[in-house]
Amino acid sequence: MQYRAIVQAGMLAGSTAESGQMQLINGVQFHRLYTGIGTGLDFYMYRGIPLFADVRYDVLKKKGTLFAYADGGIHFPWVKNQPDESIQKFYNGIYTDAGIGYRFHASNKTGLFVSAGYSYKQVKQRVTSLWFTPWPIEPVQQYEFRNYYLNRISIKLGWMF
Amino acid sequence: MKSHVKALTLIFAVALLFQSCVKDRCTQTFKVYRPILKAKQEVRNNIKTGAARALKNPGKLTLMGNYIFLNELEKGIHIIDNTNPSQPRNLYFIEIPGNVDIAVRGTILYADLYDELVAIDISNPAQVQLKSTTLRAFPERNFGNGFATDTSMFIIDWIAKDTTVTLNCAGNNAIPEMDLAIRNSGGLSSFANAAGAPVQTGINGSMARFAIVNDYMYTVSNTSLHVFDLNNSDRPLRINTVNIGWGIETIYPFKNNLFIGSQTGMFIYGLNNPATPHAKGTFTHAFACDPVVADDTYAYVTLRNGTACRNASLNQLDVIDVQDLNRPFLIKSYNMTNPHGLAKDGNLLFICDGRDGLKIMDATLPYSMKQLNHFTGIETYDVIAWNNNAIVVSKDALVQYDYSNPQNIKERSRLTIEK
């Protein structure tokens, strides 16, 4: 069993936008299985911080090998530039990413890799609007909820060490 | 090397294959309100005494003798027998859609029914009678919640329905239009005036927009002061409109003057000629919501912030010297939490401080007032203080306090508001 870290960055392409991502994962390698905890930044539509568990498995025992990976966790919104924080609230949502990759062998402990997969995040937003009542009674607050179910292709270039 | 190329080809093929398959989905869930309409004549015909209803969303109130007339926001008026303030009895309900304001003079209750003014005979609360309707008395209120009806219908209620629609994710901040279109304890006859005697007038809370002085009723809209002649009390006649400014909210009569609260200041109008109020003095303050009460020497103004108050940052009580009505000036401000209505009786000043409850101040020395009591745990809106009994409209109940001993003010009753 060996401690290993992964830094990776790449792009997210969906039907609404193309955007970037970067992640740092820390975990342990046990034979061909790697498990870790990761976090990073996801800039697709609404910026957020995913916190996830990462599992990846080397298909071959070779030094350069195909691998499969799967991530699952929570997406914490970190939205900026909202006109009025008091009337908009964002909630945490699900975050997942799964795909395949290929790792080039650089040395015994390090390796450059590329990966492609499917990534999903959910952002939930509450918007407060006012139900105007005759003056001078205070307007009644009404809420509406917006759910963003965001499906993306995730392509990453990373370094495992 | 060959295996590297194969692997990379596989990976990017996967990405390309699936790129066209992924699609974002964005939804919006909100309530759509559909108005329930009723023919205007049918609504007017239905203005009569009905069975008591639970208090749900009370607004302004008027005290007339042993009765409290309490507005149920945009629904009508509760008639509460307050002969024994320790045991008030919710007796009847008068259905008046769109009603917000009320005033009582003698045996006639005046109320707004959207843009109309109705005069109702309340001499027998068990059998009230609509006496007259003044059409277009309040032109600014010819709609409900932004929804204008046709000329023959009133909105009597709303049906709310949760609705989910799909949004265009690319225009993620676009809010679809809220489609509103889719979206007997005796009578009061004792208040009838003997020939030549002045007619008794109900006591309104400080949040009122109706005020009666002698034979005239004064009402305020967002910009104007309207004058109604009540000489023929059954049939009020609008005789004058005075443009005041902007953001007008409340009106408080004291002796021969009107103190008008607005978002920008307090206006004092004299009633030497009651049909034509004339401007006396003005006290200007920063943007805030602003009810006012006054006595011979001082006016007390609460300033608060809130969604309807341009989100001003002020929350305070201003004491204004009004000995010279033409030149009112501030003598002291007291910090408050979110003050709404207020009332003064003798040297006691009652302040509804919103979520911070009810505060009672000793106003013997207005420039150095001391807090006598503070009732917390209720969110207060408006208050009437009369005859050692303070009637407070709060979010949870209509609460009454005995202040016969200012050093030992006690809650005596509460009519609970149904949630």
Side-chain angles (χ1 to χ4, degrees), chain B residues 20 78 206 305:
Chain B
S20 58
H78 300 279
S206 66
N305 64 8

Side-chain angles (χ1 to χ4, degrees), chain A residues 54-88:
Chain A
D54 177 271
V55 179
R56 52 190 69 207
Y57 185 75
D58 293 341
V59 176
L60 304 172
K61 279 187 174 175
K62 292 180 179 176
K63 291 176 179 174
T65 177
L66 272 171
F67 66 90
Y69 74 93
D71 299 340
I74 301 168
H75 177 264
F76 298 95
W78 183 22
V79 180
K80 60 177 181 176
N81 296 333
Q82 290 303 308
D84 187 341
E85 293 292 337
S86 64
I87 62 166
Q88 296 198 40

Side-chain angles (χ1 to χ4, degrees), chain A residues 15-16 44 46 101-102 114 116 131-132 134-139 142 144-151 153, chain B residues 4 7-8 11 23-29 33 60 145 169 172-173 175 209 248-249 263 304 307-308 381:
Chain A
S15 62
T16 307
Y44 191 85
Y46 288 106
Y102 186 80
V114 291
W131 178 252
F132 283 97
W135 200 266
I137 305 287
E138 293 280 339
Q142 300 282 316
E144 61 179 54
F145 294 92
R146 299 180 195 170
N147 275 295
Y148 303 95
Y149 308 99
L150 306 173
N151 301 283
I153 292 297
Chain B
H4 291 180
L8 290 171
I11 289 163
K23 195 168 171 60
D24 294 331
R25 188 167 70 89
C26 302
T27 66
Q28 183 176 14
T29 302
Y33 288 84
K60 303 174 193 186
N145 300 317
C169 294
N172 56 73
N173 286 321
I175 304 172
R209 291 188 307 170
I248 309 303
E249 299 177 323
Q263 290 197 4
R304 72 178 187 278
T307 44
Y381 171 68

